[in-house]
Amino acid sequence: MEVEVKLRLPNADSHRRVIALLAPFHAATHRQRNLFFDGADSELSSKRAVLRLRFYNDDERCVVSLKAKAVLVDGVSRVEEDEEDLNPRVGLDCVAEPGKLGVVESRVLERVRNEFGVKGEKGFVGLGGFRNIRSVYEWKGLKLEVDETSFDFGTLYEIECESADPDEAKRVLEEFLKENGIDYSYSLMSKFAIFRSGKLP
């Protein structure tokens, strides 16, 4: 179970202020491309599951993820997640021809085929996706991920923090934002849900 605090920043100015304040704690920046897939008969989405290929930094790394039963309440997201690395060249082939997800050797994809019944080369369809610039900070014992997500219909700014104690992580983060006069709100939807809705919340 992945448990994350998710706080939305209202605009680019708030995002710039956060990354400026956190600059001394910067650990990495990842340029991500996120692409999503479903079964041809909505086998995944009908069961509140999502299959994602995430490419890092111009396709130098690819991770396949299966997420299911996501719940987002009061800025805390809980979701079942299973993921593994995939050869980026294989991942790119699957983006070009989603049917190849039906035959690629992968523990996660084998789960999708067996548990959700998505079979054969005509079993998968591509849904599209979005790009994200993720700045990672090691701050006060927390790993903060500050996102600038580019959809076709706009840009979303968000802070994420995976934590075994989400209430405490949220308290520390909210205190930091309030002390620095930075507006924020609890995220109400996952990035995938926003992408599928076609508009920013």
Side-chain angles (χ1 to χ4, degrees):
M1 176 75 71
E2 178 189 62
V3 182
E4 290 181 315
V5 177
K6 292 177 180 270
L7 302 180
R8 184 177 176 190
L9 300 170
N11 51 45
D13 181 59
S14 299
H15 176 264
R16 274 192 297 271
R17 290 176 64 201
V18 167
I19 60 175
L21 287 164
L22 292 174
F25 309 98
H26 182 258
T29 297
H30 303 297
R31 295 181 181 276
Q32 303 171 338
R33 187 162 60 114
N34 299 283
L35 296 158
F36 299 89
F37 303 85
D38 198 352
D41 294 320
S42 303
E43 291 94 335
L44 290 159
S45 57
S46 66
K47 294 177 182 167
R48 293 178 52 222
V50 177
L51 179 64
R52 180 188 70 202
L53 291 181
R54 170 174 285 169
F55 295 91
Y56 290 81
N57 303 329
D58 298 321
D59 310 330
E60 71 181 26
R61 181 183 177 207
C62 175
V63 176
V64 57
S65 302
L66 174 63
K67 296 193 173 202
K69 300 175 184 171
V71 177
L72 180 54
V73 178
D74 293 336
V76 177
S77 165
R78 290 176 171 83
V79 61
E80 294 176 13
E81 183 177 47
D82 191 7
E83 63 181 26
E84 68 178 329
D85 278 76
L86 196 65
N87 183 310
R89 286 193 300 276
V90 172
L92 289 170
D93 285 346
C94 292
V95 172
E97 296 179 56
K100 291 188 175 180
L101 291 164
V103 295
V104 167
E105 284 190 27
S106 152
R107 178 183 53 76
V108 171
L109 291 172
E110 190 65 24
R111 275 195 65 194
V112 173
R113 295 188 287 257
N114 290 335
E115 293 178 25
F116 295 89
V118 185
K119 303 283 187 185
E121 290 203 18
K122 294 185 179 176
F124 288 88
V125 293
L127 303 176
F130 52 81
R131 292 182 181 271
N132 187 47
I133 299 173
R134 170 163 288 174
S135 301
V136 182
Y137 304 89
E138 301 287 350
W139 177 79
K140 292 194 175 183
L142 300 172
K143 181 180 179 182
L144 303 184
E145 298 172 334
V146 183
D147 289 346
E148 178 182 352
T149 307
S150 300
F151 301 99
D152 288 343
F153 46 82
T155 304
L156 179 84
Y157 304 96
E158 190 174 48
I159 302 172
E160 295 186 359
C161 177
E162 190 169 347
S163 176
D165 187 354
D167 292 330
E168 176 61 14
K170 186 168 72 165
R171 185 192 68 75
V172 171
L173 260 175
E174 290 191 73
E175 193 174 86
F176 163 72
L177 294 169
K178 286 173 182 171
E179 282 177 356
N180 288 284
I182 297 169
D183 288 336
Y184 69 93
S185 59
Y186 294 156
S187 296
L188 301 174
M189 301 167 70
S190 70
K191 292 182 182 73
F192 175 72
I194 292 168
F195 160 66
R196 294 294 277 167
S197 77
K199 60 180 188 292
L200 295 175

